[in-house]
Amino acid sequence: MMIIVCNYLRRLSTICNYHLMFTRTMFIRSIDKSKSKNWSQQQPYNKFFVLDFEATCDDKAHLLKPQEIIEFPCILVEFSTVSRNFEVLSYFHSYVKPIIHTELTEYCSQLTGITQDMICNSPLFDEVFQNFCKWYINQVNDEDKSIIVTSGNWDLGNIFVEQCKLFPSTVKIPEFMCTWINIKKLFALTIGQYPFGIQNMLKTANLKQMGSIHNGMVGKWPEHVGILALELIVPSRYVNQIDLELHDGVSKGKYTIGLGQERMAFCSDREDVVSLCLTAVSSLMLRTQTSYSDIGRLEVGTETLVDKSKSIKSMLMRLFKNSNNNNVEGVDSTNACYGGTAALFNSVAWLESSAWDGRLAIVVAADVATYAQGGARPTGGAGAVAMLIGPNAPLVLDRGLRASHMDDTYDFYKGNMHTNYPLVDGKLSVQCYFEALYNCYCLYRKKFLNKFANDNETNTSSKSVLQHFDAIIFHSPYGKLVRKAFTWLTLHDLQIDANFYKKNSNLLKYKLTDINVDLLSDPDVLKDTEQLFKKLTEPTQKLPRNIGNMYTASVFGGLISYLISKPAYEMGGQRIAMFSFGSGMCSSFYSINIRSGEKLDTLISHLVPHVAEKLEKRHCTSPAEFENILKIRELTYNKAPFEPTTNIEDLFPGSWYLTYIDSMFRRYYSQ
């Protein structure tokens, strides 16, 4: 029903001859459209909360008394003065457990689509209403003028009042629930007759029915699901790769040119993957002013375990204590470098499922990447990226455009549970990376061409899909591998369809060349692909080069790097390719659409100074001290009891940190 009412609101400007304002459903005044060119902007409201309850019921011969609310859905729409249309901003939804007629009748289930299973474990009305009020208040700023919209007076004038009487001590009716617009009366004053029902209104407005008449949210996905905000957290220390080259006695440029790295972040004994996650989530919530009660799912992607049973997500629940919100789905997704992507996919799927209750999700990708002394040690790093996931996001995951490649390999793994260092087959890992990239892209390309085959705005005459990307972001173990991966992808795409590369005539000579790993190190090949690399992937490398490999957060570090590389006004309408790879192996190729608007401006305006400050205010540590700290972490791995010794003054302000581990291996943190 609410979806139908929202669509009707979108057509008001085309069918209404009057501007109407109602208080307690009483008509106050009307303004003839012909007397004002800006009539639609003169009404006082900019935000409309479209509400439609469902209640217990039986057939007319056996009407239940009293009826009780069993579904509490609300959609927030805002009138845009730019598009002169209504845009869905947010959703609230919850089923409600009745306390009198606890068993739904067959008639009720058939009418509403709500089954006994949906309500039996749902909260009672007073709890749902409390959550709704918190959500409502968080959606409205001081400058906003908001009002509730219903189709008829039954929702707020009847069933809501009766429902509140069942909870006299726990439910207080706020002022904003006492004023509403009855869209049926608006219809009557506009058309000249009172409607027989919502379908009569739809027919008059020439609107197609979407969703169900007697179900609040069924029949439509939330729109533009994706990333609303990002937060980057890095340790306060790093080691310079040039200094590390001198310290290790290797040839000049081995790490900076050979690996393509500049600085490497690392953790002291005060910092671990849990402290990084705690800081990331608390910083994200503080900056976005999001209430913890608005979070319905929290999932951590990591491969850095501190406990083989207890999830990191469970440790983050201490942040929710003051909100009394324990109804938060999600645990940890664990896989080398890929867990963050899995957590993102899971959270998006939750928002687009029947389990979604209208709240937001948080995804945290975090890891501490360390290696035993030797050639792999300079490819370490540490950091966390927290993401707020919800509808109407500025960074939207393309629905239906995702391709994955999974296999069973031992290229990188941590089978030795007595050390935090991995076992690595470097040559095999590179082969797996390129194999996964090729297979993922081929499948993604097929899906892309099928999806846009009949789209006149998207040119699919060419079999190449890389032409539709404004940036290509790769999982980045080290910069040189990303450079080779870009070349690998470009040459394979060239051989699929060379038409896109006619402007890069120097590439056409590779149309029939055998593409192998050795070719990717050829200076001529790198030179020939340099122009495209600088355009599509070079802007994504700032954080990977200056932080190192963040494992599960690596690909999102590339995303942040790209977002801060250009002004927000240049980003709108762009499509970004994302390749996520995890050894073992798991990989996916997907894409993100960037939507212009205030949310994108806010996201980027925060990231630019925030990222610069994080990178610039870190402490540069000597290679000798770096080696000493890693040695301490190595010796104290799995040690209990344990108390860190690093001075907390060395940490960034507001950071969470490890205080001690007791003899039972229980971990304690402070901020």
Side-chain angles (χ1 to χ4, degrees):
M1 171 73 82
M2 291 190 307
I3 295 164
I4 297 169
V5 175
C6 285
N7 285 333
Y8 192 80
L9 276 173
R10 289 190 173 103
R11 286 296 302 275
L12 284 179
S13 61
T14 62
I15 67 169
C16 289
N17 295 319
Y18 298 93
H19 154 67
L20 305 171
M21 181 174 72
F22 297 90
T23 300
R24 299 181 188 273
T25 74
M26 296 299 293
F27 175 64
I28 293 181
R29 64 187 177 92
S30 67
I31 301 175
D32 192 293
K33 178 182 176 182
S34 62
K35 295 180 181 179
S36 174
K37 294 181 180 180
N38 297 320
W39 67 278
S40 62
Q41 297 181 25
Q42 292 181 6
Q43 58 91 17
Y45 304 113
N46 65 309
K47 288 185 176 179
F48 301 85
F49 291 82
V50 183
L51 183 148
D52 176 54
F53 295 129
E54 296 300 329
T56 54
C57 58
D58 204 344
D59 57 43
K60 294 181 180 179
H62 303 89
L63 187 63
L64 295 179
K65 295 288 185 178
Q67 287 184 279
E68 297 175 80
I69 294 173
I70 55 174
E71 185 184 25
F72 197 132
C74 187
I75 296 179
L76 169 60
V77 296
E78 182 177 40
F79 179 76
S80 170
T81 57
V82 177
S83 65
R84 298 179 63 79
N85 208 335
F86 290 90
E87 177 183 355
V88 177
L89 295 184
S90 186
Y91 305 75
F92 176 87
H93 181 268
S94 180
Y95 292 112
V96 184
K97 184 177 182 179
I99 61 174
I100 298 177
H101 301 289
T102 57
E103 296 291 327
L104 297 184
T105 64
E106 182 179 353
Y107 173 84
C108 183
S109 292
Q110 289 178 350
L111 180 69
T112 65
I114 301 172
T115 65
Q116 192 67 34
D117 290 341
M118 293 178 181
I119 65 167
C120 64
N121 293 318
S122 296
L124 299 179
F125 175 79
D126 55 350
E127 180 182 344
V128 173
F129 185 60
Q130 183 182 39
N131 291 335
F132 168 77
C133 290
K134 290 179 181 178
W135 171 79
Y136 183 102
I137 292 170
N138 286 332
Q139 307 304 316
V140 180
N141 300 320
D142 293 338
E143 302 81 17
D144 289 327
K145 297 292 184 180
S146 61
I147 194 166
I148 293 175
V149 178
T150 64
S151 181
N153 292 332
W154 177 83
D155 296 276
L156 290 180
N158 187 333
I159 186 64
F160 174 70
V161 176
E162 295 302 315
Q163 185 76 50
C164 291
K165 291 178 181 178
L166 299 177
F167 298 87
S169 61
T170 55
V171 173
K172 305 298 181 184
I173 301 178
E175 185 177 349
F176 62 78
M177 295 295 288
C178 299
T179 303
W180 66 92
I181 291 175
N182 177 357
I183 202 169
K184 286 185 176 180
K185 194 162 187 178
L186 173 60
F187 178 93
L189 290 167
T190 302
I191 304 302
Q193 64 179 31
Y194 203 81
F196 295 108
I198 193 73
Q199 290 173 321
N200 174 230
M201 296 165 65
L202 289 172
K203 184 177 180 180
T204 303
N206 194 27
L207 284 173
K208 181 181 179 181
Q209 178 178 323
M210 296 177 64
S212 171
I213 294 292
H214 289 285
N215 198 299
M217 303 293 282
V218 169
K220 186 175 176 65
W221 276 312
E223 297 177 340
H224 309 305
V225 175
I227 302 170
L228 294 163
L230 296 111
E231 190 75 22
L232 170 72
I233 297 298
V234 294
S236 59
R237 296 168 178 255
Y238 74 90
V239 62
N240 192 298
Q241 294 281 11
I242 294 177
D243 296 340
L244 201 57
E245 288 173 346
L246 293 171
H247 179 267
D248 291 349
V250 299
S251 59
K252 183 179 180 180
K254 184 175 179 63
Y255 302 155
T256 52
I257 299 175
L259 294 177
Q261 297 300 109
E262 297 176 12
R263 299 176 181 87
M264 178 171 56
F266 66 96
C267 291
S268 69
D269 59 356
R270 287 284 186 188
E271 301 165 298
D272 61 15
V273 67
V274 179
S275 70
L276 291 175
C277 288
L278 285 167
T279 305
V281 173
S282 58
S283 298
L284 177 72
M285 299 296 280
L286 179 63
R287 178 178 58 79
T288 60
Q289 293 295 294
T290 302
S291 170
Y292 282 95
S293 62
D294 288 338
I295 304 302
R297 183 179 181 87
L298 169 60
E299 187 162 345
V300 176
T302 188
E303 64 172 271
T304 308
L305 300 182
V306 295
D307 192 296
K308 289 181 284 186
S309 178
K310 181 176 171 63
S311 68
I312 295 174
K313 181 272 178 79
S314 67
M315 300 183 194
L316 300 184
M317 288 305 296
R318 70 188 66 198
L319 298 173
F320 291 75
K321 187 174 182 180
N322 291 336
S323 69
N324 294 317
N325 178 20
N326 296 98
N327 180 22
V328 183
E329 293 189 11
V331 283
D332 294 354
S333 286
T334 304
N335 193 90
C337 300
Y338 185 82
T341 297
L344 175 62
F345 289 171
N346 291 342
S347 296
V348 169
W350 174 73
L351 268 105
E352 295 180 344
S353 76
S354 61
W356 185 52
D357 59 5
R359 293 183 293 168
L360 304 175
I362 293 177
V363 171
V364 194
D367 273 301
V368 178
T370 56
Y371 294 85
Q373 198 161 20
R377 176 158 282 187
T379 63
V385 173
M387 294 167 278
L388 189 64
I389 311 299
N392 299 293
L395 307 178
V396 181
L397 272 70
D398 274 328
R399 185 174 289 150
L401 289 180
R402 182 193 306 171
S404 296
H405 180 78
M406 309 286 179
D407 206 344
D408 180 13
T409 64
Y410 275 95
D411 57 312
F412 171 109
Y413 57 102
K414 297 178 180 177
N416 185 352
M417 305 303 289
H418 300 293
T419 177
N420 61 335
Y421 296 140
L423 297 165
V424 185
D425 184 334
K427 184 177 181 180
L428 176 59
S429 190
V430 171
Q431 291 174 349
C432 290
Y433 188 103
F434 291 142
E435 175 190 338
L437 175 59
Y438 175 79
N439 285 295
C440 282
Y441 175 66
C442 287
L443 181 55
Y444 176 93
R445 184 181 63 83
K446 182 178 180 180
K447 290 185 175 183
F448 185 95
L449 295 176
N450 286 338
K451 181 173 182 177
F452 294 107
N454 299 316
D455 187 345
N456 294 329
E457 295 183 4
T458 305
N459 178 20
T460 56
S461 59
S462 170
K463 294 181 181 179
S464 166
V465 171
L466 292 191
Q467 63 179 301
H468 299 290
F469 298 135
D470 297 280
I472 305 174
I473 299 173
F474 298 87
H475 166 60
S476 182
Y478 51 92
K480 197 59 172 286
L481 181 61
V482 170
R483 182 65 182 88
K484 291 181 178 181
F486 178 85
T487 303
W488 173 267
L489 185 61
T490 301
L491 294 183
H492 277 291
D493 193 59
L494 166 72
Q495 295 188 352
I496 291 171
D497 191 336
N499 290 329
F500 170 56
Y501 297 91
K502 287 181 178 179
K503 293 182 180 180
N504 303 87
S505 56
N506 54 335
L507 290 174
L508 296 178
K509 59 189 174 187
Y510 302 108
K511 186 175 180 180
L512 301 176
T513 301
D514 178 35
I515 305 171
N516 54 62
V517 175
D518 293 335
L519 181 68
L520 305 180
S521 299
D522 187 314
D524 291 334
V525 176
L526 294 174
K527 181 180 179 181
D528 290 337
T529 56
E530 183 71 14
Q531 182 180 353
L532 281 175
F533 175 77
K534 285 185 175 181
K535 175 186 176 183
L536 296 175
T537 299
E538 174 71 28
T540 73
Q541 288 297 287
K542 182 179 180 65
L543 292 185
R545 284 176 181 160
N546 283 277
I547 297 174
N549 191 356
M550 295 188 286
Y551 283 165
T552 57
S554 169
V555 71
F556 304 114
L559 175 60
I560 292 174
S561 298
Y562 183 70
L563 291 172
I564 64 175
S565 70
K566 299 178 182 180
Y569 65 83
E570 293 185 17
M571 294 283 185
Q574 292 191 354
R575 175 176 278 119
I576 301 172
M578 304 279 288
F579 174 64
S580 177
F581 173 82
S583 293
M585 66 176 162
C586 302
S587 60
S588 292
F589 194 104
Y590 61 104
S591 51
I592 291 176
N593 261 309
I594 302 180
R595 297 174 66 230
S596 58
E598 184 179 347
K599 291 181 180 179
L600 178 64
D601 295 343
T602 301
L603 185 152
I604 294 179
S605 65
H606 161 74
L607 284 177
V608 172
H610 172 73
V611 171
E613 181 182 27
K614 286 292 183 185
L615 296 182
E616 292 170 5
K617 291 191 175 182
R618 294 181 296 171
H619 308 296
C620 182
T621 304
S622 69
E625 187 177 356
F626 163 71
E627 295 283 359
N628 182 56
I629 290 175
L630 258 61
K631 188 65 177 179
I632 292 173
R633 290 180 63 90
E634 181 181 329
L635 294 174
T636 58
Y637 180 73
N638 268 349
K639 181 180 178 181
F642 169 68
E643 186 171 348
T645 58
T646 300
N647 192 336
I648 62 173
E649 297 299 323
D650 293 339
L651 304 176
F652 285 124
S655 296
W656 284 81
Y657 57 90
L658 179 68
T659 55
Y660 68 98
I661 302 172
D662 69 16
S663 60
M664 297 292 289
F665 289 89
R666 292 174 294 198
R667 309 175 79 89
Y668 298 86
Y669 296 87
S670 295
Q671 185 182 27

